[in-house]
Amino acid sequence: MGSSKKVWSLPLMGSLPAKKVKVLASLDKDDGDEALDVFVDLLEGLCPGLTDELTLDELQQVMVGWQEASGITAGGGESRPSSD
C-alpha cells in the first residue's frame, strides 16, 4: 500500500483483544473525523507507521479488506457460513 515496499500485516479482527474490538465496534461512519481518528490510532497501535504511508482512499481499502479477511460484514457482525 502506498509508496512503501514494506509488507504490512494485521491480525484478524476476531483475534484482537476485547478492548480493541470494542473500539472497532464503536466506530460509526456518521461520526466522520472522530471515527477516522480512532481507526488511525488503532491501526498505528497494531502496525506503527502504516498510516503514514496511506492516502485516505487506501485507508478505506485497508478497512474494507480487513473486514472481509476477518469475515466481518458491513453491519459489524461476523458472517456465518450457510447451513444449506
Side-chain angles (χ1 to χ4, degrees):
M1 303 246 42
S3 61
S4 175
K5 302 288 184 211
K6 183 174 180 175
V7 175
W8 301 92
S9 179
L10 289 167
L12 295 177
M13 290 179 178
S15 66
L16 291 174
K19 191 170 188 172
K20 291 190 186 308
V21 173
K22 185 177 178 181
V23 167
L24 277 176
S26 72
L27 294 179
D28 185 347
K29 291 181 182 180
D30 294 335
D31 288 341
D33 289 341
E34 184 178 344
L36 179 62
D37 289 343
V38 169
F39 183 62
V40 166
D41 288 346
L42 177 64
L43 281 182
E44 275 302 304
L46 295 169
C47 291
L50 174 62
T51 58
D52 293 338
E53 302 290 332
L54 301 176
T55 65
L56 187 56
D57 288 340
E58 290 168 336
L59 184 65
Q60 185 177 15
Q61 290 172 1
V62 167
M63 182 62 180
V64 170
W66 192 19
Q67 287 175 323
E68 288 173 358
S70 297
I72 307 294
T73 62
E78 286 190 39
S79 60
R80 301 284 182 222
S82 173
S83 61
D84 295 339

